[in-house]
Amino acid sequence: MRHKPPLNWLPHKTETRKPGRLLSLLFPQPPICPLCSTPHKGWLAGLVHPYLCAQCAASVHELFGALCRSCGKESEHGLCPDCVREPHVFLQARAFAKYEGSAEKAVKALKYQNETGLAPVLGEWLALAYARHYGLDLKAWLVPVPMHPLKERRRGYNQAQLLAKEASRHLHMPVVQALRRISEDDGSQTVRSRAQRLTTLESAFALAPGISVAGQHIVLIDDVLTTGGTADACANALIDGGVASVYVLTVAR
Ligand SMILES: [Zn+2]
Ligand SMILES: [Zn+2]
């Protein structure tokens, strides 16, 4: 997706030199939109503060206004029907945007396509959502939803960890890896019922060894919240450790 500069820019011997190529060496490309690679207007725009181009930003549907008190879904009635039927373990979940358009594209690119250049943009969104929904009075630990170590090794990073790190630069709150994932989702979720899946999830997370979370306010950080099952399972493990509260903050939902 994003055009990375070639490792070896010296032209091949048989290649004809194009004047445009020489110019691009003398004048490097201005910063680009980290989602669609369109160059930003102006040579310094986006250099120290990456952001999406206007076209990509247009399809980001930010979440505020009438939201479910618990899960943060758009809802006119305090609690959405899902939360009435099945209350969550966490206190409250909030997200920056709806999981659609550029927000969905960006989350997927960060998660599956190694587009870690998007983390600063999405991390800033998290910080904005935090200030918008939780205010800045709550001093909490930012706890990324952990990935199973094998999966993290395969991917090379945990996107929730990257997002928490970026958000903490704006919020000045510590990122604490208070949880570990002890079993991996085996991918058979489509053939299992929601209840079966939740039981499996319950035992998937545990407190990280050597960390005391007692009395702490926790903000769980993840890229996207769907059913909230993962966040609930994490909240369970944290509550067992004696935390004061568990909030959830995601880029999208
Ligand atoms: Zn763009
Ligand atoms: Zn709800």
Side-chain angles (χ1 to χ4, degrees), residues 112-147:
Y112 304 116
Q113 292 158 0
N114 274 328
E115 293 289 344
T116 49
L118 281 160
V121 176
L122 304 188
E124 190 184 7
W125 287 0
L126 280 180
L128 282 169
Y130 185 97
R132 177 182 292 162
H133 297 291
Y134 298 143
L136 290 167
D137 294 335
L138 176 71
K139 289 295 167 209
W141 284 1
L142 305 179
V143 174
V145 169
M147 203 180 249

Coordinates of all heavy atoms in Angstrom, one line a residue, residues 112-147:
Y112 N -2.9 -6.4 9.9 CA -2.5 -7.5 9.0 C -1.5 -7.1 7.9 O -1.0 -8.0 7.2 CB -3.8 -8.0 8.2 CG -4.9 -8.4 9.2 CD1 -6.1 -7.7 9.2 CD2 -4.7 -9.5 10.1 CE1 -7.1 -8.1 10.1 CE2 -5.7 -9.8 10.9 CZ -6.9 -9.1 10.9 OH -7.9 -9.5 11.8
Q113 N -1.2 -5.8 7.7 CA -0.3 -5.5 6.6 C 1.0 -4.8 7.0 O 1.6 -4.1 6.2 CB -1.1 -4.7 5.5 CG -2.2 -5.4 4.8 CD -3.2 -4.5 4.2 OE1 -3.2 -3.3 4.3 NE2 -4.2 -5.2 3.6
N114 N 1.3 -5.0 8.3 CA 2.6 -4.4 8.8 C 2.6 -2.9 8.6 O 3.7 -2.3 8.6 CB 3.8 -5.0 8.0 CG 4.2 -6.2 8.6 OD1 4.1 -6.4 9.8 ND2 4.7 -7.1 7.8
E115 N 1.5 -2.2 8.5 CA 1.6 -0.7 8.3 C 1.7 0.0 9.6 O 0.8 0.7 10.1 CB 0.3 -0.3 7.5 CG 0.2 -0.8 6.1 CD 1.3 -0.1 5.2 OE1 1.8 0.9 5.5 OE2 1.5 -0.7 4.1
T116 N 2.8 -0.2 10.3 CA 3.0 0.3 11.6 C 3.1 1.9 11.6 O 3.0 2.5 12.6 CB 4.2 -0.3 12.3 OG1 5.3 -0.2 11.4 CG2 4.0 -1.7 12.6
G117 N 3.3 2.4 10.4 CA 3.3 3.9 10.2 C 2.0 4.5 10.6 O 1.9 5.7 10.8
L118 N 0.9 3.7 10.7 CA -0.4 4.2 11.0 C -0.6 4.3 12.5 O -1.5 5.0 13.0 CB -1.5 3.3 10.5 CG -1.8 3.5 9.0 CD1 -2.5 2.2 8.4 CD2 -2.6 4.7 8.8
A119 N 0.3 3.7 13.3 CA 0.1 3.7 14.8 C 0.1 5.1 15.4 O -0.7 5.4 16.2 CB 1.2 2.8 15.4
P120 N 1.0 6.0 14.9 CA 0.9 7.4 15.5 C -0.4 8.1 15.3 O -1.0 8.7 16.2 CB 2.0 8.1 14.8 CG 3.0 7.1 14.4 CD 2.1 5.9 14.0
V121 N -1.0 7.8 14.1 CA -2.3 8.5 13.8 C -3.4 7.8 14.7 O -4.2 8.5 15.3 CB -2.7 8.3 12.3 CG1 -4.1 8.8 12.0 CG2 -1.7 8.9 11.4
L122 N -3.4 6.5 14.7 CA -4.5 5.8 15.5 C -4.3 6.0 17.0 O -5.3 6.1 17.7 CB -4.5 4.3 15.1 CG -4.7 4.0 13.7 CD1 -4.9 2.5 13.5 CD2 -5.9 4.7 13.1
G123 N -3.0 6.1 17.4 CA -2.8 6.4 18.8 C -3.2 7.8 19.2 O -3.8 8.0 20.3
E124 N -3.1 8.7 18.3 CA -3.6 10.1 18.6 C -5.2 10.1 18.7 O -5.8 10.7 19.5 CB -3.1 11.1 17.6 CG -3.4 12.5 18.0 CD -3.1 13.5 16.9 OE1 -2.7 13.1 15.8 OE2 -3.2 14.7 17.2
W125 N -5.8 9.3 17.8 CA -7.2 9.1 17.9 C -7.7 8.6 19.2 O -8.6 9.0 19.8 CB -7.7 8.2 16.8 CG -7.7 8.7 15.4 CD1 -7.2 10.0 15.0 CD2 -8.1 8.1 14.2 NE1 -7.3 10.1 13.7 CE2 -7.8 8.9 13.1 CE3 -8.6 6.8 13.9 CZ2 -8.1 8.6 11.8 CZ3 -8.9 6.5 12.6 CH2 -8.6 7.4 11.6
L126 N -6.9 7.6 19.7 CA -7.2 7.0 21.0 C -7.1 8.1 22.1 O -8.0 8.2 23.0 CB -6.2 5.9 21.4 CG -6.4 4.5 20.8 CD1 -5.3 3.6 21.3 CD2 -7.8 4.0 21.2
A127 N -6.1 8.9 22.1 CA -5.9 10.0 23.1 C -7.1 11.0 23.0 O -7.6 11.4 24.0 CB -4.6 10.7 22.9
L128 N -7.5 11.3 21.7 CA -8.6 12.2 21.6 C -9.9 11.6 22.2 O -10.7 12.3 22.9 CB -8.9 12.5 20.1 CG -7.9 13.5 19.4 CD1 -8.1 13.5 17.9 CD2 -8.2 14.9 19.9
A129 N -10.1 10.3 21.9 CA -11.3 9.7 22.4 C -11.3 9.6 23.9 O -12.3 9.7 24.6 CB -11.4 8.3 21.8
Y130 N -10.1 9.4 24.5 CA -9.9 9.3 25.9 C -10.4 10.7 26.6 O -11.2 10.7 27.5 CB -8.5 9.0 26.3 CG -8.3 8.9 27.8 CD1 -8.3 7.6 28.4 CD2 -8.1 9.9 28.6 CE1 -8.1 7.4 29.7 CE2 -8.0 9.8 30.0 CZ -8.0 8.5 30.5 OH -7.8 8.3 31.9
A131 N -9.8 11.8 26.0 CA -10.1 13.1 26.5 C -11.6 13.4 26.4 O -12.3 13.9 27.3 CB -9.3 14.1 25.8
R132 N -12.1 13.0 25.2 CA -13.6 13.3 24.9 C -14.5 12.5 25.9 O -15.5 13.1 26.3 CB -13.8 12.8 23.5 CG -15.2 13.0 23.0 CD -15.4 12.5 21.6 NE -14.7 13.3 20.6 CZ -14.4 12.9 19.4 NH1 -14.7 11.7 19.0 NH2 -13.8 13.8 18.6
H133 N -14.2 11.2 26.1 CA -15.2 10.4 26.9 C -14.9 10.2 28.3 O -15.7 10.0 29.1 CB -15.3 9.0 26.2 CG -15.8 9.1 24.8 ND1 -17.1 9.4 24.5 CD2 -15.2 8.9 23.6 CE1 -17.3 9.4 23.2 NE2 -16.1 9.1 22.6
Y134 N -13.6 10.2 28.7 CA -13.2 10.0 30.1 C -12.7 11.2 30.8 O -12.5 11.2 32.0 CB -12.2 8.8 30.1 CG -12.7 7.5 29.6 CD1 -11.8 6.7 28.9 CD2 -14.0 7.1 29.8 CE1 -12.3 5.4 28.4 CE2 -14.5 5.9 29.3 CZ -13.6 5.1 28.6 OH -14.1 3.9 28.1
G135 N -12.4 12.3 30.0 CA -11.8 13.5 30.6 C -10.4 13.2 31.0 O -9.9 12.1 30.8
L136 N -9.7 14.2 31.5 CA -8.3 13.9 31.8 C -8.0 13.8 33.3 O -6.9 13.8 33.7 CB -7.4 15.0 31.1 CG -7.4 14.9 29.6 CD1 -6.8 16.2 29.0 CD2 -6.6 13.7 29.1
D137 N -9.1 13.7 34.1 CA -8.9 13.6 35.5 C -8.5 12.2 36.0 O -7.9 12.0 37.0 CB -10.1 14.1 36.3 CG -10.4 15.6 36.0 OD1 -9.4 16.3 35.7 OD2 -11.6 16.0 36.1
L138 N -9.0 11.3 35.2 CA -8.8 9.9 35.6 C -7.3 9.5 35.3 O -6.9 9.5 34.1 CB -9.7 8.9 34.8 CG -9.6 7.4 35.0 CD1 -10.0 7.0 36.4 CD2 -10.4 6.7 34.0
K139 N -6.6 9.2 36.3 CA -5.2 8.8 36.1 C -5.1 7.3 36.1 O -5.4 6.7 37.1 CB -4.3 9.4 37.2 CG -4.1 10.9 37.1 CD -3.4 11.3 35.8 CE -3.4 12.8 35.5 NZ -3.4 13.1 34.0
A140 N -4.9 6.8 35.0 CA -5.0 5.3 34.8 C -3.8 4.7 34.2 O -3.0 5.4 33.7 CB -6.3 5.0 34.0
W141 N -3.7 3.4 34.3 CA -2.7 2.6 33.5 C -3.3 2.3 32.2 O -4.5 1.8 32.1 CB -2.3 1.3 34.2 CG -1.5 1.5 35.4 CD1 -1.0 2.6 35.9 CD2 -1.0 0.4 36.2 NE1 -0.2 2.4 37.0 CE2 -0.2 1.0 37.2 CE3 -1.1 -1.0 36.2 CZ2 0.5 0.3 38.2 CZ3 -0.5 -1.7 37.2 CH2 0.3 -1.1 38.2
L142 N -2.5 2.4 31.1 CA -3.0 2.0 29.8 C -2.5 0.5 29.7 O -1.3 0.3 29.7 CB -2.4 2.8 28.7 CG -2.7 4.3 28.8 CD1 -2.1 5.1 27.7 CD2 -4.2 4.6 28.8
V143 N -3.4 -0.4 29.6 CA -3.0 -1.8 29.5 C -3.4 -2.4 28.1 O -4.6 -2.5 27.9 CB -3.7 -2.6 30.6 CG1 -3.4 -4.1 30.5 CG2 -3.2 -2.2 32.0
P144 N -2.5 -2.7 27.3 CA -2.8 -3.2 26.0 C -3.4 -4.7 26.1 O -2.9 -5.4 26.9 CB -1.5 -3.2 25.2 CG -0.4 -3.1 26.2 CD -1.0 -2.5 27.4
V145 N -4.4 -5.0 25.3 CA -4.8 -6.4 25.2 C -3.7 -7.2 24.7 O -3.2 -6.9 23.6 CB -6.1 -6.5 24.3 CG1 -6.4 -8.0 24.1 CG2 -7.3 -5.8 25.0
P146 N -3.2 -8.2 25.4 CA -2.1 -8.9 25.0 C -2.4 -9.9 23.9 O -3.5 -10.3 23.7 CB -1.6 -9.7 26.2 CG -2.9 -9.9 27.0 CD -3.8 -8.7 26.7
M147 N -1.3 -10.3 23.2 CA -1.4 -11.2 22.1 C -0.7 -12.5 22.6 O 0.2 -12.4 23.4 CB -0.7 -10.6 20.9 CG -1.1 -11.2 19.6 SD -0.1 -10.3 18.3 CE -1.3 -9.3 17.6

